[in-house]
Amino acid sequence: MGDGTGAVMIDGKMEDDASLKQCLVLVELAEELAAIDPDLKKMYDEIEVAHR
């Protein structure tokens, strides 16, 4: 996975290094936006994340 060794199937979807990189870019962008927009930060803070 994140080390470029291949792909895995999660809930019937292929996840690979490129998928991880895209997710990290989105998280970084969300953090940057939340830092400059208090209303957006409040909305992000209200999101519940399911842990498996």
Side-chain angles (χ1 to χ4, degrees), residues 1-35:
M1 271 298 291
D3 60 2
T5 57
V8 296
M9 295 295 285
I10 300 175
D11 293 331
K13 296 180 182 178
M14 184 188 80
E15 300 296 336
D16 60 5
D17 191 46
S19 301
L20 174 63
K21 288 178 182 177
Q22 289 174 341
C23 289
L24 294 175
V25 168
L26 288 174
V27 168
E28 183 178 343
L29 177 59
E31 290 172 345
E32 290 175 7
L33 291 171

Side-chain angles (χ1 to χ4, degrees), residues 36-47:
I36 61 173
D37 186 333
D39 293 330
L40 189 57
K41 181 180 183 332
K42 183 178 181 218
M43 286 190 290
Y44 286 163
D45 288 341
E46 293 173 356
I47 297 172

